[in-house]
Amino acid sequence: MPQRSIGPFQVFPIGLGCMNFSHAYGTPPPPEQGERVLLAALDQGVTLFDTAALYGFGGNETIVGRVLKPHRSRITLASKGGMAGVQGDDGVMRRVIDGRPEAIRRNCEDSLRRLQTEVIDLYYLHRWDKKVPVEESVGAMGRLVEQGKVRALGLSEVSAATIRKAHAVHPIAAVQTEYSLWTRNPEIAVLDACRELGIAFVAFSPVARAFLCDALHDVTTLEAKDIRRTMPRFEPAHYARNLQLLPGYKALAREAGCTPAQLALAWLLHKREYIVPIPGTTNVDHLRENLGAVNVKLQPALIERLDAHINQRTVSGHRYSAQSRSEVDTEDYPEA
């Protein structure tokens, strides 16, 4: 299987986003379920594993570190700092974006301990803290490289302009942002900036948070703490319009000879050779299905029809709430 490059690393074309084991989509599964998925991913040849200090307020890194420690030499391990859980005076853990150098150093030390490793292969700035120049945050991350605690640096949810500022301070190996048929923001400028600078693009939520798997038909069944409840395109009125896209999409998947989830991933793999999708799942069968996308060949004419069917003009609702949009630096399309 041809590998894809992320900085100095060669990885299987599809990685594993580990967030789902501990964070974001309602009640997390039992830890042993996450363990089964991690070990199955290793068995299937996955080499890129992506976690973060924020996920489960450290719990995700703890699971990933415990399970993958015996296999550390076989994998590329990615984590993120600059956004983590902080315990308030009331004892409640809350998400805090903090890009100050001292916070990044502390986040990294905590991650190294939880991951049970001496070095993190790919360390991202999870969010750019707009109160701190990105050059300061990346400078602190560069010192982690000098100290041997991190091998390569990444950025998450940033614009092309911010990528260029950061890359001038220290080489950036990867940029991670949501990208799928229904979230096209990276096409505005970030993908081209990555190509120009030799940076890998890591696509999270590549199957549109289950929409492109044809796995979510009734959003009213989502748990109260499921983050999709805060996302406009999952609001019932928007989602009802988006569901109208699925019949045509499933017909294209049948034409391609694959499942809807595999079509979404294959589309990304065909888009650019420097894109590495990182779908997440808590189900071993879904994992295997996702990885099967590497064998799906799409004809240019079918890709054109896909692009025309699901894109920023045909999808109803924004990907993030107004609050979440204020926290990211990605370029955005004008409101329709």
Side-chain angles (χ1 to χ4, degrees):
M1 176 61 58
Q3 304 289 287
R4 297 208 166 187
S5 299
I6 299 181
F9 311 109
Q10 296 293 303
V11 300
F12 189 81
I14 297 175
L16 181 66
C18 300
M19 180 181 77
N20 303 42
F21 305 151
S22 321
H23 186 81
Y25 295 120
T27 305
E32 56 269 22
Q33 189 169 334
E35 179 174 351
R36 284 195 295 271
V37 173
L38 286 165
L39 293 175
L42 278 170
D43 186 59
Q44 294 290 308
V46 173
T47 50
L48 175 64
F49 293 83
D50 183 276
T51 181
L54 177 69
Y55 304 157
F57 297 137
N60 196 256
E61 289 181 321
T62 299
I63 294 171
V64 170
R66 174 175 53 80
V67 176
L68 296 184
K69 182 180 180 181
H71 313 281
R72 184 67 184 86
S73 63
R74 298 168 50 191
I75 67 170
T76 298
L77 183 61
S79 194
K80 311 176 193 72
M83 182 165 67
V86 175
Q87 191 171 45
D89 294 337
D90 57 1
V92 176
M93 293 290 287
R94 293 181 175 85
R95 185 189 66 144
V96 173
I97 298 173
D98 190 346
R100 295 174 300 161
E102 58 268 31
I104 288 171
R105 286 194 299 271
R106 182 173 62 251
N107 289 167
C108 183
E109 293 289 353
D110 290 344
S111 292
L112 287 166
R113 184 184 69 255
R114 290 188 293 256
L115 290 167
Q116 300 186 51
T117 188
E118 294 181 354
V119 61
I120 297 168
D121 296 317
L122 178 59
Y123 195 58
Y124 291 93
L125 184 65
H126 203 162
R127 288 290 185 275
W128 171 35
D129 180 353
K130 297 176 184 178
K131 301 183 299 297
V132 180
V134 71
E135 294 90 340
E136 286 188 24
S137 299
V138 172
M141 295 167 70
R143 287 188 284 278
L144 295 173
V145 175
E146 293 168 2
Q147 295 163 8
K149 297 176 180 178
V150 169
R151 290 195 171 106
L153 301 186
L155 303 171
S156 178
E157 293 275 40
V158 292
S159 66
T162 301
I163 293 168
R164 295 181 196 282
K165 289 179 183 177
H167 193 70
V169 173
H170 189 282
I172 300 299
V175 170
Q176 181 175 141
T177 292
E178 182 177 358
Y179 187 35
S180 68
L181 278 160
W182 85 340
T183 295
R184 301 296 195 95
N185 305 63
E187 296 177 0
I188 300 172
V190 164
L191 287 177
D192 286 342
C194 287
R195 175 187 51 77
E196 177 189 333
L197 299 171
I199 297 172
F201 184 90
V202 176
F204 75 76
S205 297
V207 293
R209 304 182 190 273
F211 175 74
L212 293 173
C213 303
D214 187 30
L216 178 63
H217 299 122
D218 183 1
V219 289
T220 65
T221 64
L222 295 175
E223 291 187 32
K225 292 186 178 181
D226 191 309
I227 59 170
R228 289 172 290 190
R229 283 193 170 271
T230 70
M231 297 174 173
R233 62 182 54 163
F234 287 97
E235 292 171 1
H238 284 301
Y239 203 69
R241 290 194 285 274
N242 290 330
L243 284 175
Q244 296 173 18
L245 297 169
L246 279 182
Y249 177 70
K250 290 191 289 184
L252 289 168
R254 288 192 296 272
E255 187 175 333
C258 65
T259 68
Q262 289 171 341
L263 182 61
L265 294 165
W267 176 83
L268 281 166
L269 293 173
H270 282 71
K271 272 290 177 181
R272 309 276 177 109
E273 71 281 358
Y274 53 87
I275 292 175
V276 179
I278 52 166
T281 184
T282 58
N283 182 292
V284 171
D285 289 339
H286 292 167
L287 168 76
R288 293 182 178 132
E289 176 188 349
N290 289 341
L291 298 179
V294 298
N295 298 314
V296 175
K297 306 301 180 188
L298 301 180
Q299 296 301 315
L302 191 142
I303 292 174
E304 288 181 14
R305 289 157 61 201
L306 265 177
D307 281 327
H309 185 62
I310 300 181
N311 57 58
Q312 73 277 8
R313 294 179 299 277
T314 63
V315 171
S316 180
H318 204 285
R319 71 181 181 111
Y320 278 158
S321 67
Q323 172 61 35
S324 294
R325 292 202 297 274
S326 73
E327 295 176 350
V328 300
D329 178 49
T330 45
E331 292 87 356
D332 211 346
Y333 289 100
E335 292 288 342

